Amino acid sequence: MFDRLSAYAPQALAVLRIIAALLFIAHGTQKLLGFPATDMSPPAFSIFWFAAIIEIVTGVLIAIGFFTRPAAFIASGTMAFAYFIVHAPMNFFPVNNGGDAAILFCFVFLYLVFAGPGAWSVNKQ
């Protein structure tokens, strides 16, 4: 049975890539555009503003599968930076410091750097 499932690995990778990228874009649009609704509105050219730009641009590139590896590398590094600069100083445990999403994004995008975009991408591997 598992051999038959392996045949769909490229499509499963593409679903992971697309869903992670859409969630990443939502984090960026929330900071930059206030959608979905939030109280956070970072000033232009602040560190959070730049994070939002990176989240939107790399998120779109990853979602459509265009320059997936370099975009995922930048997104992964951004999330590692976000975790250690913003979340880790609050508490050692990710579940207590709100950094669990940053860690997950970091490692999902790091995996995409090595795995490539999978199926349904503008750039084929």
Side-chain angles (χ1 to χ4, degrees), residues 53-107:
I53 297 294
I54 291 170
E55 288 166 351
I56 293 170
V57 172
T58 61
V60 168
L61 291 173
I62 293 167
I64 65 173
F66 188 65
F67 292 118
T68 302
R69 291 175 196 258
F73 182 78
I74 293 167
S76 177
T78 300
M79 288 299 96
F81 181 80
Y83 180 77
F84 286 110
I85 297 301
V86 177
H87 298 284
M90 289 191 271
N91 191 295
F92 176 77
F93 299 102
V95 73
N96 290 340
N97 66 26
D100 42 1
I103 292 172
L104 281 170
F105 279 129
C106 178
F107 283 96

Side-chain angles (χ1 to χ4, degrees), residues 25-42 48-49 52-53 55-56 60:
I25 293 166
H27 280 268
T29 59
Q30 188 175 42
K31 287 182 196 82
L32 200 62
L33 307 174
F35 180 80
T38 183
D39 293 335
M40 184 175 195
S41 180
F48 294 108
W49 185 86
I53 297 294
E55 288 166 351
I56 293 170
V60 168

